[in-house]
Amino acid sequence: MKLTNPQKRCFTKFLAAVALCAPLLVTLPGNAAKPEHVKQLRDTKKCRKCDLSGANLSGVNLSGADLSYSNLSGANLSGANLSYANLSGVNLRGVNLRGVNLRGVSLSGVSLSGVDLSGVDLSGVSLSGVSLSGVDLSGVSLSGVNLSGVNLSGVKLSRGNLSGVNLSSVNLSGVNLSGASLNGFNLRGVELKNANLSDADLENADLSKANLRDANLKNANLKNANLKGAKLIGVNLNGASLKNADLRGANLDVETLPNDNILAEAADYSRWGDNRYNKSDYRSAIAYYNKAIEIDAKYKEAYANRGLAQTQLKDYQAALADYNNALSIDPNYAKAYNNRGMTRTAQQDYQAALADFDKAISIDSKYAEAYNGRATVRLIQKDYPAVITDATEAIRLDPKLAAAYNNRGLARFAKQEYQMAIKDYDKAIDHSEGWAWAYFNRGVARYANKEYKDATEDYDKAIDIDENYVDAYYQRSIARFARQKYEDAIKDCDRVIARDPNYAQAYENKGNAFLALKKKVEAKQAFEQAAKIYFQKQDNTNLQRVQQTITGI
């Protein structure tokens, strides 16, 4: 960059100032303790509000010393004896406390953030209100320590001795307690999200209402543990022992539970089955529903939900049998009629499906899912005004029902009301999580609305969610062709073909892209392959179109 005269003058003055200041900067000392303060401490063991920053006190016997409110930042205290010392209000930032004896010390209000405490004996120490966020406490003895209100978020405590410590109300989110001995501990309501408790001994521990979301409990001993109402979504229980553990009211989503004698009710197993169903793990869901029914043969919810899981596996007769069992228990069970309507829709028995949805609505006039089920059948029947009517009612009853927005969007798209369809897909996406189909549908509507770049981005998102979403790759190739990104369109067609070699439209669009690039030989090869597949499928309309294109080449 060329400097102007004023800039040159400023730059020259700046260099001059630096030149003048440089010697001063070199000679300024870093943090250093006041020698008289160090001598006072060694002679009297009393040094309140002293400046001991950076002091070398390694191995010094400071038992019972009064160091309250002193600055010890950066000091070397490794191996020192600080038992029963008064460290209230002391600045310990960056202090080396490796191997220090802190028995009986009060660290109330002291920040130990970033301090290395590995191997330190903290037995009997009061850490009330102390922040230990991110501190390495590996192998540290915390026997009898008061941790009231302490934040242990992200602390590494593997192999630590926690005997006699009350961890209730302590934040242990992300803490490493691998192999820790917590037998009989009170951890009721404790925050243990993302904690590493692998190989930990939690026998007889009270973990009721604790948040263990995404925690690692691999090979942990949870015998006789109280896990009532605990949050266990995403927990790793591989190899864990849950013998006689109480899991009533707990929420978990593990694929299978250890084959232990746990305490749980039919509602618990049914809820866990629902969690696996929502993960599209229908076989594991059925196993949980089976257990619920084994406990309570009249638990109608388990029958109704197992029927849906059977439907996903295309075992329609087993599904219908489940709904019939549910209805034999409760003839006015609206959910059983609704779910049976969904199964009959999958069977393409549309009239019977409509009758079931109608029955569910007659029992419960505020059953949003039943209105949406009926909208789904009307969509298949191409009765778009009826779809919009039923989906709108479903949305009125449940403004967060993503499937109803999606159905209404499809109906509006069919009526070429693209902008309104896009708005419905926006809502479907807002009220769902990772729903690839909603992004795909919005992409199709945006393409129809000539919003090719936005359409491409929607297909990107659909593919991010489902990398094998063949139709999304194909539609993205169409959008990229429309944007004259022919090379990218060809790559997407190849991705389609790799996943489905009989996808004729992908070969056809690949041929179109090659033609646009004036690569006639490659284009003809692609069109010929498309024609071959159209012929095999007896798709004469598309076959004739491709043959005409080949002739034109």
Side-chain angles (χ1 to χ4, degrees), residues 122-136:
L122 289 171
S123 54
V125 173
S126 171
L127 291 171
S128 178
V130 172
S131 171
L132 289 169
S133 181
V135 173
D136 184 352

Side-chain angles (χ1 to χ4, degrees), residues 237-238 242 252-259 276 281 284 287-288:
L237 285 170
N238 292 337
L242 286 164
L252 58 82
D253 62 352
V254 293
E255 184 177 346
T256 56
L257 280 170
N259 190 24
R276 292 312 301 178
D281 181 6
S284 293
Y288 278 119

Side-chain angles (χ1 to χ4, degrees), residues 350-370:
Y350 302 126
Q351 289 308 120
L354 286 173
D356 276 334
F357 291 129
D358 288 343
K359 182 66 175 177
I361 291 167
S362 71
I363 295 170
D364 182 358
S365 62
K366 295 183 179 180
Y367 200 165
E369 287 84 355

Side-chain angles (χ1 to χ4, degrees), residues 77-94:
L77 288 163
S78 60
N81 180 5
L82 285 167
S83 59
Y84 302 101
N86 182 359
L87 297 177
S88 298
V90 169
N91 181 359
L92 290 172
R93 185 172 298 277

